[in-house]
Amino acid sequence: MRALAVTALFLLSFASPAQASGCTVHNGACVQKHTNLAWLVTNGVTSYGPVRISHGKPGFATPVGDFPVLRKVKNDWSVPYNGPMPNAVYFTTDGVAFHQGDLNSQSHGCVRLTWNDSEVFFDNLWPGERVQVLP
C-alpha cells in the first residue's frame, strides 16, 4: 500500500492498533457497520480514519466478513442501479465496493465515502489487500 506521505506520518504518530476495534486486518481496510465508520490499516495500525460511511440498506445489506480487494475503477458506473461510482474499490465478486456517494442515505450494498475519503481509499487500497466488514 502506498504511503500517505505527510498525512500518514502525522496520523501514525497518534494511531491506535486496528485490533482495538475488533479489526484483524494487517494491510487494507476495516468497516464497522454499527458505527458507520471505516479506516485504512497499514502494518496492523490505523493509517487513515476513522471516517464516516454509509452502507447497504435492508434487503441490500453490506456483507459482513473478510474479503480481498479485487479491482479498482476510477470512474465506474453501476448498470443495475444506473448511477456513478467514482473511486470504486471492489471487494466482493457480486459488485460491493467502496466509492464516493451520499452518506445521508443507504446504498444497495456498497460502502459510500465522501469525495475526499473515497480518493484516499482508492489511492491506498490495492488488489489482494484485505477488507474486513464488522457488524
Side-chain angles (χ1 to χ4, degrees):
M1 188 164 27
R2 283 195 305 200
L4 297 173
V6 175
T7 303
L9 292 174
F10 175 76
L11 290 173
L12 284 173
S13 65
F14 298 100
S16 60
Q19 289 78 2
S21 63
C23 178
T24 60
V25 167
H26 190 70
N27 286 302
C30 293
V31 175
Q32 196 171 55
K33 290 172 38 172
H34 78 275
T35 60
N36 289 321
L37 295 174
W39 57 96
L40 295 175
V41 179
T42 304
N43 296 322
V45 177
T46 301
S47 56
Y48 183 80
V51 298
R52 286 183 352 113
I53 57 120
S54 68
H55 56 81
K57 59 187 167 185
F60 298 93
T62 304
V64 172
D66 188 320
F67 309 92
V69 172
L70 299 172
R71 63 189 175 98
K72 302 179 350 173
V73 182
K74 187 66 176 166
N75 293 302
D76 212 358
W77 185 267
S78 171
V79 173
Y81 303 110
N82 194 30
M85 295 176 61
N87 299 316
V89 178
Y90 290 90
F91 58 90
T92 74
T93 56
D94 58 350
V96 176
F98 290 106
H99 66 82
Q100 186 277 326
D102 181 6
L103 300 188
N104 295 314
S105 64
Q106 292 179 301
S107 71
H108 289 97
C110 287
V111 177
R112 293 180 179 163
L113 301 156
T114 66
W115 180 262
N116 288 338
D117 293 336
S118 73
E119 286 184 315
V120 173
F121 275 56
F122 185 87
D123 289 344
N124 290 281
L125 285 171
W126 297 99
E129 291 184 327
R130 307 307 296 178
V131 174
Q132 186 175 21
V133 180
L134 303 165

